[in-house]
Amino acid sequence: MAAPISVVHFTDPGCPWAYSASPDLAVLHWRYGDQLAWRLAMIGLTEDAQVYLDRGYTPERMAKSNRAFRRFGMPIATAPRPRVSSTSPACRTIVAARLAAPEREYEVFRALQWAQFTSPAVFDEPDDLRAAVAHVEGVDADAIVGAIDEPQVWEAYERDRVETRTAEGGPTQAQGKSANSDGAERFTAPSLLMTRESDGFTLEAGGFQPLEAYDVCLANLDPTLTRRAPATDVGDVLAAFDYPLATQEVAAVMAAPLAGADSAAAEDALISACAAGTVRREALGDDALWRLA
């Protein structure tokens, strides 16, 4: 049975706001499951590193600015990169994964986010891209990275970029959450366009939003959606995802409505599960990823 709601997720692996929204997106995946059909669309924030250099960005400045996003709870490391790079190669790596192994596209996207925010990896360095996605099961990292300059990858990527740059005159622009960095009004990351499949009616949650904004959109689109209650066991949380989760993501899935995520309590439960041998911990940045053992 087709999902009643489709969601276009406009994003970019180099955007700290998109990365910081990961706990809320995990809640949506947990809460609504296969009632939502997700599709990624790459924004392509920059095609040339010179854009960032012209704005005054340096490896030092970017590393320091990442500290401000620690308040959202996702793993962060602050080692400066060797140089500033564009996000285009990473975006095209995700598109290449979509074409070769579509069931792993979201995991490749997440792997590149980890690389961006917890390592000094450089997105225009093929070896760094390969290292970032090498651990994603079912993906040939060499083949994926080797394909990012192929015509079919560029064509699919350009379709994403064109679709992303259609925010002119819409709710996202009205809310001040669009941007125009290259001549067209675009959605910022992470914008969600939610469409009711029965009649094509769409609601926009543009840019970085609180979880409640997504929730109210979905409730208005389809009040008959089954809404899964917060998890009570970390093992249940990890079993519901095909990829490892950060501590804050687990905490968000377990949080009572409007109560806020208790990352300390979630980490305690994860540590206990790790000691019992049911969960595996992988150090990441200043925190960890967790998966079932």
Side-chain angles (χ1 to χ4, degrees):
M1 181 177 178
I5 305 293
S6 62
V7 183
V8 180
H9 177 189
F10 293 111
T11 192
D12 190 293
C15 177
W17 293 104
Y19 182 61
S20 299
S22 298
D24 290 345
L25 299 182
V27 173
L28 295 182
H29 283 282
W30 166 270
R31 187 175 287 173
Y32 297 105
D34 59 9
Q35 297 172 102
L36 307 181
W38 292 80
R39 177 169 66 85
L40 286 178
M42 292 297 106
I43 293 172
L45 289 172
T46 48
E47 298 301 305
D48 189 328
Q50 191 61 45
V51 173
Y52 285 137
L53 296 173
D54 290 344
R55 295 175 188 168
Y57 285 95
T58 65
E60 178 184 357
R61 177 183 171 186
M62 296 179 83
K64 288 178 178 178
S65 69
N66 283 345
R67 290 185 305 176
F69 290 90
R70 281 182 168 151
R71 69 189 189 274
F72 298 109
M74 290 296 286
I76 293 286
T78 53
R81 288 180 164 75
R83 62 184 182 279
V84 175
S85 67
S86 72
T87 68
S88 177
C91 289
R92 285 182 280 120
T93 300
I94 295 161
V95 172
R98 178 193 308 164
L99 298 178
E103 72 284 359
R104 300 298 183 189
E105 180 189 10
Y106 194 63
E107 292 177 70
V108 169
F109 165 63
R110 284 172 61 85
L112 288 165
Q113 287 185 305
W114 306 136
Q116 173 71 3
F117 297 104
T118 69
S119 83
V122 180
F123 277 167
D124 61 9
E125 175 52 61
D127 285 345
D128 287 356
L129 294 173
R130 278 190 286 269
V133 304
H135 68 278
V136 179
E137 293 184 11
V139 167
D140 183 333
D142 289 335
I144 293 296
V145 176
I148 67 172
D149 286 321
E150 293 295 326
Q152 64 270 27
V153 172
W154 270 107
E155 290 168 8
Y157 172 55
E158 289 299 335
R159 285 195 295 270
D160 279 14
R161 295 185 76 248
V162 169
E163 183 180 8
T164 298
R165 287 155 176 79
T166 56
E168 181 81 36
T172 297
Q173 185 180 27
Q175 202 179 7
K177 289 184 174 289
S178 62
N180 190 331
S181 54
D182 51 16
E185 204 68 27
R186 63 168 173 80
F187 291 99
T188 54
S191 292
L192 302 186
L193 268 61
M194 307 176 186
T195 300
R196 185 167 56 211
E197 287 299 301
S198 62
D199 61 4
F201 182 71
T202 298
L203 292 176
E204 293 182 14
F208 188 82
Q209 298 276 359
L211 174 61
E212 290 74 24
Y214 306 136
D215 208 44
V216 76
C217 285
L218 291 169
N220 277 276
L221 283 170
D222 189 347
T224 70
L225 291 175
T226 300
R227 197 169 183 273
R228 193 177 188 181
T232 58
D233 183 87
V234 295
D236 292 340
V237 178
L238 297 178
F241 292 82
D242 295 330
Y243 42 82
L245 299 179
T247 306
Q248 187 70 11
E249 292 176 305
V250 175
V253 171
M254 299 182 75
L258 301 178
D262 188 340
S263 59
E267 187 171 24
D268 280 348
L270 287 161
I271 291 170
S272 295
C274 190
T278 60
V279 165
R280 189 165 80 247
R281 181 186 190 277
E282 301 170 10
L284 184 72
D286 57 355
D287 189 35
L289 289 179
W290 306 86
R291 67 172 79 231
L292 291 178

